[in-house]
Amino acid sequence: GDSVTQMEGPVTLSEEAFLTINCTYTATGYPSLFWYVQYPGEGLQLLLKATKADDKGSNKGFEATYRKETTSFHLEKGSVQVSDSAVYFCALSEDSNYQLIWGAGTKLIIKP
Amino acid sequence: EAGVVQSPRYKIIEKKQPVAFWCNPISGHNTLYWYLQNLGQGPELLIRYENEEAVDDSQLPKDRFSAERLKGVDSTLKIQPAELGDSAVYLCASSRGSLGGNEQFFGPGTRLTVL
C-alpha cells in the first residue's frame, strides 16, 4: 500500500541555518503531496502542496518539489527562524479516495 | 472564511464515562474526517464522511466509538465507555472531496484526558 517516510527527528538547528527535511513516498498512482505543520499546542496547518510531478509548492519561505523520479518531496528553507520550531508532517493523497497517508512527523527545534 | 470548528478544546473525564466531541466543517465542504493523534505521532484516520454517509469507518473501534453526521454538515464523535488508552487529541478535518480538491483543513482538536 501507499506509505510516506520522513527523516527522524528531532532536527536541531541554529537560527538562519539552511533546513532540509527529507520525505519519500511509495504510491500506486499519481498522488498529491503535502507538508503540514503543527505548532506547539495547535492543530495541523497546511504548509504547502504539489499535485503533479515537477510542481514546486512554496509558502512562508518553505519550498518542496515533487520529484517523481526519486519519489521524494523534501522540505527546504533557506534561513530558519525560532518561530519555525514545530512538528512537520509529510503526507500524500490519492485523488481517488481523498485519504491522507501520513509520515511520522519530524520535530524541528531552532535555537537562537 | 471560518475554519473548522471543534468543541470542546479540552476534556478530562474518568474512565468508563462517556464523552462526545463536536465538529463543524468549513462551509461547502462535503467530506469530513475524524482523526486520533497520539503524542509525537501522526494522525490516524477514524472515519470519513461524504455528506451524511460514512464511506470509510474501517479504523473506528465500533465497540465503544460511534459517530454521526445526520444532515451532512456538522458531526459528533462519541466514546462510551472511555478507557485510559483513549487519551489523545481528536482532530476533525474537512475537504471539498468529490466537489474538487483533496486538500484537508484541520480544526484545533480536542485534547481528551481519561483518568
Side-chain angles (χ1 to χ4, degrees), chain A residues 36 38 46 49 95 97-98, chain B residues 33 37 48 102-104:
Chain A
Y36 281 83
Q38 189 169 35
L46 179 66
K49 68 175 182 178
D95 286 341
N97 60 22
Y98 310 107
Chain B
Y33 311 76
Q37 186 179 25
R48 173 169 67 95
N102 50 8
E103 177 180 332
Q104 295 183 25

Side-chain angles (χ1 to χ4, degrees), chain B residues 58-75:
Chain B
S58 57
Q59 302 303 312
L60 190 72
K62 298 180 183 64
D63 56 335
R64 298 183 300 106
F65 285 65
S66 64
E68 60 183 20
R69 193 186 184 198
L70 296 176
K71 297 182 178 179
V73 181
D74 60 333
S75 175

Side-chain angles (χ1 to χ4, degrees), chain B:
Chain B
E1 149 181 286
V4 177
V5 179
Q6 289 188 249
S7 68
R9 289 293 310 276
Y10 305 90
K11 190 73 178 179
I12 301 174
I13 61 172
E14 296 195 345
K15 63 180 180 181
K16 301 185 181 180
Q17 294 300 305
V19 64
F21 314 124
W22 178 79
C23 171
N24 196 33
I26 292 173
S27 178
H29 283 195
N30 67 334
T31 306
L32 184 146
Y33 311 76
W34 282 105
Y35 290 91
L36 177 155
Q37 186 179 25
N38 287 305
L39 189 65
Q41 298 182 23
E44 301 170 29
L45 181 68
L46 291 172
I47 190 168
R48 173 169 67 95
Y49 282 93
E50 294 286 343
N51 299 303
E52 66 275 9
E53 182 182 359
V55 296
D56 183 357
D57 63 355
S58 57
Q59 302 303 312
L60 190 72
K62 298 180 183 64
D63 56 335
R64 298 183 300 106
F65 285 65
S66 64
E68 60 183 20
R69 193 186 184 198
L70 296 176
K71 297 182 178 179
V73 181
D74 60 333
S75 175
T76 301
L77 177 69
K78 297 178 182 177
I79 308 174
Q80 182 171 7
E83 296 179 353
L84 294 176
D86 296 331
S87 295
V89 176
Y90 291 82
L91 298 169
C92 180
S94 70
S95 72
R96 291 177 61 80
S98 57
L99 296 178
N102 50 8
E103 177 180 332
Q104 295 183 25
F105 296 84
F106 285 80
T110 297
R111 182 177 297 276
L112 174 67
T113 302
V114 182
L115 303 176

Side-chain angles (χ1 to χ4, degrees), chain A residues 90-108:
Chain A
C90 184
L92 70 81
S93 177
E94 301 269 17
D95 286 341
S96 59
N97 60 22
Y98 310 107
Q99 181 175 341
L100 278 172
I101 307 298
W102 296 85
T106 302
K107 185 173 185 178
L108 175 65

